[in-house]
Amino acid sequence: MRIKDNSLNDREKLRSEMPNLTEKLANKTLEQLERDGIFVFPEIIDDADDLAGDQMILQERNNSYWTGNVMGFLGCGEERLVIGSRFGGEDENDFFFLYMLNRIMDFPSIVDLETDADRDQRMFRLFLFLFPCYLRKAMRKGLFKKYICRRYNDENVLGTIDIDRHIELNTPFIGNIAYSQREFSYDNHLMELVRHTIEYIRKKPYGTRLLAQAKEEVEQIVSATPTYELYDRKKIIAVNKKNPVRHAYYHEYRSLQRLCILILQHEKHRIGSGSRQIFGVLFDGAWLWEEYINSLITHWFHHPMNRSEQSAQWLFSGSNGKAGLIYPDFISRDVETRIVADAKYKPVDNISGKDYLQVLAYMFRFDAKTGYYLYPEPNESNKDLVLQLNKGTTFERDVRPRDDVRVIKHGLKIPVHAKTYKDFVDEITQNEQDFTEIFSNGCQSQLSTASV
């Protein structure tokens, strides 16, 4: 079954066609679902503006279910649910969602997610494509190191003698002694699990390209696991299932561990078959749109990032230090005619209220006379809308628009009638050129042509 993000859905229809999934998703927060095994990308951060842990995928409202601001693929038993983009058109081919994944995540063979006849294979490939992202994130904490127990049988006794094993191995006695030693090592069950996943992916037709996205991390894992043996895979999976990573500092490794187990067990147990356990992966729609826009305009704009706490800006400086931490989406590189822009994954008519106050605060902070809202536009007839800041008050009856401060709603046209993924790519590539032309030619030139 396919539904859209940020939309109302018939409750009875969902319950009848997806009884198990509806029961597990309805009125559950993303934080709860993440604990149940759903992969949420990017991972939930408590102070993130866009994706909050208390957001729900299916929230019950007046005999309907309202979907949140997330897209993705979910399954439970034999049921499969695809949450697509509300800007992807009315038919089943939601190429827009897949296209953003391809641009941001650099997924190979992304179109196979739709054309592959095997629905589980589509889901499985998506998990494979996520592996480099989770590996890079986990490896920022360094290689995972823990105490392990190694067994030896030689003359250099450095640990606890194992009497039973010694009698079994060294009768008659020839000089060796069987003993066990507790060692702090990188070559542990978790690193071996990651190594097995790497070798599994390497055999795929697109494996080399996929692993190239985390080349340095892959090399470190291979170097840290000299005892890797292919025939140990079943044992390594079993040990990791019994010993999940629990330390809060290594929560990124916990997610990587779950992903590796899911990938390696796919061939033996098809995803979801014979099980009531929910599984899947969800993407924050606002994050996907922001990163997609960044890929288009990065040549002209700086991009502070809230989630990774990079390039933080402050509204105020005072006797008590800095105050008012902010992360504007985009700040122009041109310091002479500074511009700020805000990516909004919402229809143009929904950009209002606090959205206006936010951009005006950023404009005032960075001495910008022009601000932009960058949004997806499925209606090809709409032109840019220019809003002029007023001055004066209604009390003196002297309200009038200013000529020097403007906010522009600038939409990227999303093809909604493309028949194939290739047609969609061809159309949106042209639309991207039209969208960025205003920045390549100088933003101020748009002011004379946009309709107020």
Side-chain angles (χ1 to χ4, degrees):
M1 186 173 182
R2 294 171 179 270
I3 58 178
K4 300 287 186 180
D5 67 73
N6 294 279
S7 63
L8 280 175
N9 299 271
D10 185 84
R11 184 179 65 173
E12 296 307 318
K13 182 179 180 181
L14 274 172
R15 285 181 172 179
S16 62
E17 296 189 24
M18 299 277 154
N20 295 317
L21 264 176
T22 303
E23 179 184 356
K24 292 182 177 295
L25 294 177
N27 300 316
K28 296 286 185 67
T29 66
L30 288 177
E31 191 172 7
Q32 290 174 311
L33 293 174
E34 195 174 43
R35 289 198 299 265
D36 290 341
I38 296 295
F39 290 91
V40 181
F41 200 89
E43 289 185 286
I44 296 171
I45 301 176
D46 292 336
D47 60 353
D49 293 332
D50 296 329
L51 188 63
D54 59 358
Q55 185 179 151
M56 297 181 184
I57 300 178
L58 291 179
Q59 185 175 13
E60 194 167 358
R61 292 184 185 177
N62 300 325
N63 296 321
S64 300
Y65 283 123
W66 178 263
T67 54
N69 207 41
V70 292
M71 297 173 279
F73 307 86
L74 296 161
C76 181
E78 295 300 316
E79 301 171 3
R80 301 294 180 270
L81 179 66
V82 178
I83 305 175
S85 171
R86 54 180 157 167
F87 300 101
E90 297 300 326
D91 57 11
E92 292 189 354
N93 295 323
D94 186 5
F95 298 131
F96 180 48
F97 176 32
L98 299 181
Y99 181 73
M100 285 197 294
L101 288 179
N102 194 23
R103 286 293 299 260
I104 304 308
M105 315 295 288
D106 192 24
F107 285 172
S109 306
I110 191 69
V111 73
D112 288 344
L113 289 174
E114 283 299 312
T115 60
D116 198 318
D118 188 336
R119 62 188 181 183
D120 284 340
Q121 196 66 23
R122 295 198 297 266
M123 179 85 76
F124 176 63
R125 290 187 181 183
L126 188 56
F127 287 127
L128 284 177
F129 297 164
L130 286 175
F131 175 77
C133 304
Y134 278 83
L135 177 60
R136 290 196 304 267
K137 189 168 185 177
M139 290 286 284
R140 290 174 191 159
K141 297 285 180 69
L143 288 167
F144 184 82
K145 194 174 185 179
K146 68 171 297 181
Y147 282 104
I148 60 174
C149 183
R150 295 193 184 279
R151 303 198 300 177
Y152 297 94
N153 185 44
D154 54 42
E155 67 243 17
N156 302 315
V157 182
L158 296 174
T160 303
I161 297 176
D162 188 338
I163 301 298
D164 293 339
R165 191 161 58 90
H166 175 73
I167 295 174
E168 178 183 354
L169 298 177
N170 301 313
T171 301
F173 182 68
I174 57 175
N176 291 336
I177 296 177
Y179 63 95
S180 301
Q181 184 178 2
R182 184 176 165 85
E183 300 176 355
F184 202 45
S185 173
Y186 291 120
D187 194 2
N188 50 67
H189 67 269
L190 178 55
M191 290 293 95
E192 287 286 340
L193 179 73
V194 179
R195 174 68 183 279
H196 278 278
T197 309
I198 290 172
E199 299 304 328
Y200 176 83
I201 294 176
R202 203 191 300 273
K203 296 179 180 179
K204 297 293 181 181
Y206 44 78
T208 301
R209 175 187 165 187
L210 194 60
L211 294 177
Q213 298 176 22
K215 182 178 179 181
E216 294 183 4
E217 291 80 1
V218 168
E219 291 176 350
Q220 291 182 56
I221 294 294
V222 172
S223 177
T225 52
T227 61
Y228 164 79
E229 293 290 349
L230 178 61
Y231 57 78
D232 286 337
R233 181 168 297 175
K234 184 177 180 180
K235 180 181 70 175
I236 291 295
I237 293 174
V239 172
N240 277 273
K241 291 178 70 174
K242 292 180 181 178
N243 299 277
V245 177
R246 300 188 185 277
H247 198 290
Y249 179 76
Y250 289 111
H251 73 273
E252 294 91 350
Y253 272 106
R254 171 61 180 138
S255 299
L256 179 63
Q257 184 185 45
R258 288 194 297 112
L259 183 62
C260 290
I261 292 173
L262 192 63
I263 290 173
L264 293 177
Q265 284 196 312
H266 170 71
E267 295 301 333
K268 183 177 180 181
H269 304 290
R270 304 291 283 180
I271 292 180
S273 61
S275 172
R276 295 298 181 185
Q277 181 64 37
I278 190 172
F279 60 92
V281 57
L282 297 170
F283 297 87
D284 176 12
W287 175 84
L288 267 180
W289 173 249
E290 181 180 327
E291 294 304 312
Y292 168 51
I293 291 296
N294 180 52
S295 71
L296 299 178
I297 66 174
T298 186
H299 178 73
W300 303 283
F301 287 87
H302 299 291
H303 179 39
M305 289 178 284
N306 184 5
R307 297 184 181 279
S308 57
E309 299 182 353
Q310 295 181 16
S311 307
Q313 309 294 320
W314 300 88
L315 285 174
F316 308 103
S317 294
S319 56
N320 293 329
K322 299 176 181 178
L325 177 64
I326 57 173
Y327 291 92
D329 288 350
F330 302 101
I331 306 171
S332 68
R333 300 179 187 272
D334 184 353
V335 297
E336 297 299 326
T337 55
R338 183 75 80 186
I339 295 169
V340 296
D342 197 22
K344 291 297 182 186
Y345 181 71
K346 58 173 64 175
V348 61
D349 293 337
N350 290 0
I351 302 175
S352 60
K354 293 182 179 179
D355 298 327
Y356 293 147
L357 299 178
Q358 182 185 45
V359 164
L360 284 175
Y362 293 160
M363 292 170 63
F364 187 67
R365 162 65 179 82
F366 298 105
D367 295 322
K369 298 296 184 181
T370 304
Y372 277 87
Y373 293 109
L374 309 176
Y375 68 97
E377 174 56 79
N379 187 350
E380 298 181 4
S381 63
N382 281 359
K383 296 181 179 180
D384 284 0
L385 177 65
V386 178
L387 304 174
Q388 295 175 275
L389 183 66
N390 281 332
K391 60 181 177 180
T393 70
T394 56
F395 302 107
E396 284 77 30
R397 298 180 181 179
D398 59 349
V399 177
R400 59 186 183 276
R402 297 176 54 165
D403 295 329
D404 58 338
V405 180
R406 306 187 185 196
V407 173
I408 304 173
K409 295 182 179 181
H410 183 53
L412 171 61
K413 306 298 187 298
I414 309 299
V416 294
H417 301 298
K419 299 301 182 182
T420 66
Y421 185 73
K422 182 180 183 304
D423 292 340
F424 178 89
V425 172
D426 292 339
E427 289 186 48
I428 201 169
T429 300
Q430 179 59 52
N431 294 345
E432 289 170 351
Q433 294 176 3
D434 298 337
F435 177 79
T436 58
E437 185 177 2
I438 185 176
F439 305 117
S440 60
N441 293 338
C443 295
Q444 296 301 320
S445 64
Q446 177 72 4
L447 295 177
S448 62
T449 59
S451 59
V452 178

